[in-house]
Amino acid sequence: MLTRRQIRVKVMQCIYALTLSHDESLEKQKKFLRVSIENTYTLYLLVLSLLMELHKMEENFIRLSSKKYLNENGEKYPNKEKFLNNAVLKQMVTNSLLQNELDKKKLNNWDLHQDYVKIVFNEIKKSELFEQYMLNGAHSYEEDKNLIASLFKEVIAPNERIYEYFEDDKLTWVDDIPLVNTFVLKQLRKVNEEYSQSFFLPKLLKDTDDMVFADQLLTKTLLNNKKFEEEIQIKTPNWDKDRIADIDAILLKMAICELTGFSSIPERVTINEYLEIAKEYSTPKSSIFINGILDKLVKEYRINGKLKKTGRGLL
């Protein structure tokens, strides 16, 4: 679920938080990193549980609308329970593994914030996607899947109130929201009738090496902070230390750490990764600045033997 680039971003966030707080506790930052990574999965589960909560709200709506004085739209739809019986939604709400995971983590957020669920529910009901789906008397798994994926992409994911809720809940989720939404959409498009219940519970990290990488990148960068800072200053003699943006300085230190401390990661991969992160998280010219510094350092490291890379794909 999390790629190496996203892991690098989380390490960057930890170091930036340390820079602002001036808290030099390595153990505290390592704990913050682990929690930040784990919270990405919590956000993923909350997004899925929102879909499940929408199904529950539709169930209540159908029950209430069966009373004549609340029966507003039922008559115009060939099957007023079509959305309630949507196959993909039912796969989620009947998924015992998913429900157990939500219970284990005590993720009852939507029970406590039904107003947010209602906002999304009403937006869905007003959407053209929902109207066309309900007016179509035919029924198929593919139609059900396409509806949920489309509603998620066009109605749920862009909802500003839901975004604000997640943003207020946990600061690190600001960067996780696009990642999680993209992943959920991929899952909704890939799910099929023969799915395993574990389909909606993917691994957060590809393997244990990813967590080791995250931990070592944070630790080595922080422990060698002064040394990396001096290397950057040597390569930027005309720049005052305070003129270099905090994020640029952090990304440069992390890149130097990877180049010299992670022999299995190709130098080209390291440079490309940090240039892409700089484009997204720093100033418009940051990637050019960072590229220039790293290019000088790589040439120097090759000459003095500090660039010791092993394995495949290092050309």
Side-chain angles (χ1 to χ4, degrees):
M1 184 174 172
L2 280 178
T3 66
R4 282 288 177 100
R5 180 178 300 172
Q6 287 141 5
I7 291 172
R8 289 179 174 95
V9 168
K10 290 196 170 291
V11 172
M12 177 196 74
Q13 290 170 337
C14 284
I15 299 174
Y16 185 68
L18 182 148
T19 303
L20 293 180
S21 66
H22 304 290
D23 186 338
E24 297 183 1
S25 169
L26 178 57
E27 284 307 310
K28 187 180 289 187
Q29 293 308 317
K30 289 169 72 172
K31 182 179 179 181
F32 179 82
L33 175 62
R34 287 191 292 271
V35 170
S36 176
I37 289 173
E38 289 167 5
N39 279 342
T40 304
Y41 201 71
T42 300
L43 177 60
Y44 166 75
L45 291 172
L46 279 177
V47 172
L48 289 189
S49 68
L50 175 58
L51 291 169
M52 297 164 70
E53 202 64 31
L54 290 168
H55 181 269
K56 188 188 298 183
M57 192 163 281
E58 175 68 357
E59 192 172 34
N60 291 334
F61 178 82
I62 294 294
R63 178 175 52 80
L64 292 173
S65 65
S66 63
K67 300 176 182 180
K68 187 174 181 180
Y69 63 94
L70 287 178
N71 192 6
E72 298 174 357
N73 295 318
E75 297 300 330
K76 72 174 181 177
Y77 297 143
N79 177 8
K80 68 178 184 179
E81 296 188 5
K82 187 176 181 182
F83 186 63
L84 179 66
N85 292 320
N86 182 282
V88 175
L89 288 182
K90 291 187 79 171
Q91 282 179 321
M92 291 185 188
V93 298
T94 59
N95 188 318
S96 58
L97 292 181
L98 177 56
Q99 189 59 58
N100 287 342
E101 192 67 20
L102 293 171
D103 293 341
K104 185 172 70 176
K105 292 181 177 289
K106 298 179 180 179
L107 296 179
N108 61 343
N109 299 50
W110 305 121
D111 289 339
L112 303 173
H113 299 283
Q114 280 287 300
D115 50 329
Y116 287 98
V117 182
K118 192 169 184 178
I119 288 169
V120 177
F121 183 76
N122 289 336
E123 287 297 314
I124 286 174
K125 290 287 183 150
K126 291 188 297 184
S127 71
E128 188 176 338
L129 287 167
F130 180 83
E131 185 77 0
Q132 291 177 349
Y133 173 80
M134 293 298 291
L135 288 173
N136 182 7
H139 177 82
S140 70
Y141 184 87
E142 280 303 308
E143 184 196 24
D144 285 357
K145 181 170 78 168
N146 290 337
L147 173 76
I148 301 305
S150 297
L151 285 175
F152 184 78
K153 180 182 178 181
E154 298 183 28
V155 179
I156 301 172
N159 189 280
E160 291 185 7
R161 293 295 303 279
I162 296 297
Y163 181 91
E164 289 169 3
Y165 170 73
F166 287 141
E167 184 180 29
D168 291 341
D169 196 322
K170 287 184 174 58
L171 181 62
T172 58
W173 279 352
V174 173
D175 294 309
D176 289 341
I177 293 169
L179 158 71
V180 168
N181 282 343
T182 299
F183 188 79
V184 169
L185 184 59
K186 286 180 180 178
Q187 291 290 88
L188 292 173
R189 286 172 171 168
K190 288 195 300 184
V191 70
N192 57 60
E193 293 178 89
E194 305 301 322
Y195 94 119
S196 162
Q197 286 205 344
S198 61
F199 174 82
F200 285 116
L201 293 171
K203 287 183 178 180
L204 173 59
L205 300 173
K206 186 172 67 174
D207 50 43
T208 55
D209 288 347
D210 281 347
M211 195 63 236
V212 172
F213 167 73
D215 191 78
Q216 289 186 350
L217 180 59
L218 176 68
T219 302
K220 290 181 179 181
T221 302
L222 291 178
L223 291 179
N224 292 283
N225 178 68
K226 188 172 180 60
K227 182 175 73 173
F228 295 155
E229 205 166 77
E230 289 172 354
E231 290 203 48
I232 295 168
Q233 287 179 342
I234 292 171
K235 292 294 177 288
T236 55
N238 298 322
W239 283 72
D240 187 285
K241 177 184 172 183
D242 294 334
R243 286 183 60 204
I244 300 176
D246 288 339
I247 293 296
D248 291 359
I250 291 168
L251 293 177
L252 278 168
K253 291 170 188 174
M254 290 171 63
I256 294 171
C257 183
E258 269 193 43
L259 288 169
T260 59
F262 292 79
S263 61
S264 63
I265 302 176
E267 64 189 63
R268 186 173 298 172
V269 170
T270 293
I271 293 172
N272 288 342
E273 287 291 277
Y274 287 102
L275 292 182
E276 289 303 313
I277 294 171
K279 289 175 186 176
E280 187 171 353
Y281 289 92
S282 197
T283 65
K285 295 182 179 180
S286 289
S287 61
I288 299 171
F289 172 71
I290 290 173
N291 188 49
I293 304 301
L294 292 180
D295 185 57
K296 291 178 185 177
L297 287 170
V298 166
K299 288 176 181 176
E300 183 181 294
Y301 293 160
R302 283 174 179 161
I303 293 171
N304 62 26
K306 287 180 69 175
L307 197 69
K308 297 175 181 177
K309 296 294 184 178
T310 60
R312 301 171 59 187
L314 302 178
L315 296 179

